[in-house]
Amino acid sequence: AGGGRMIDRLRKWYYNAAGFNKLGLMRDDTLHEDDDVKEALRRLPEHLYNERVFRIKRALDLSLKHQILPKDQWVKYEEDHHYLEPYLKEVIRERHEREAWNKK
């Protein structure tokens, strides 16, 4: 159990050190947009997509101004839910299934 707590502390430290949360971004907002991610984004419900676009536009604006959000507005490690992950897993599963089917 002690090792688990240490790993969790390391994850939190790395999350904060990465800095994207200080711009109001979530982890899934920072994923490289390859074909799988683009398809997962296409499948997002409209409200999740709009929230993502808002966070990214705000982060770009802050970055251009060389500013960060006030600390009380930073995305906390515990609050960062991986909203894109279920859609991305489904897209990847479908791609693997297609690839396997095409090999036959």
Side-chain angles (χ1 to χ4, degrees), residues 7 10-11 16 18 21 36 38 40 44-45 47 57-58 62 68 75 81 88 91-92 97 102-103:
I7 290 172
L10 184 60
R11 284 183 181 143
N16 287 314
N21 65 318
D36 290 338
K38 286 177 184 175
L44 271 179
H47 75 282
K57 284 183 177 182
R58 178 179 59 186
L62 287 166
I68 60 172
V75 177
H81 62 284
L88 186 55
V91 167
I92 292 169
E97 196 173 281
N102 289 335
K103 284 183 183 178

Side-chain angles (χ1 to χ4, degrees), residues 11-59:
R11 284 183 181 143
K12 287 180 185 179
W13 173 85
Y14 183 78
Y15 181 87
N16 287 314
F20 58 82
N21 65 318
K22 297 172 185 165
L23 297 172
L25 294 172
M26 294 182 160
R27 184 199 71 122
D28 285 358
D29 297 334
T30 66
L31 294 176
H32 172 71
E33 290 190 22
D34 61 14
D35 290 339
D36 290 338
V37 172
K38 286 177 184 175
E39 177 59 24
L41 288 170
R42 196 183 66 70
R43 296 179 184 192
L44 271 179
E46 187 176 2
H47 75 282
L48 289 177
Y49 182 80
N50 290 340
E51 290 169 5
R52 172 192 168 87
V53 170
F54 171 79
R55 287 190 303 270
I56 291 172
K57 284 183 177 182
R58 178 179 59 186

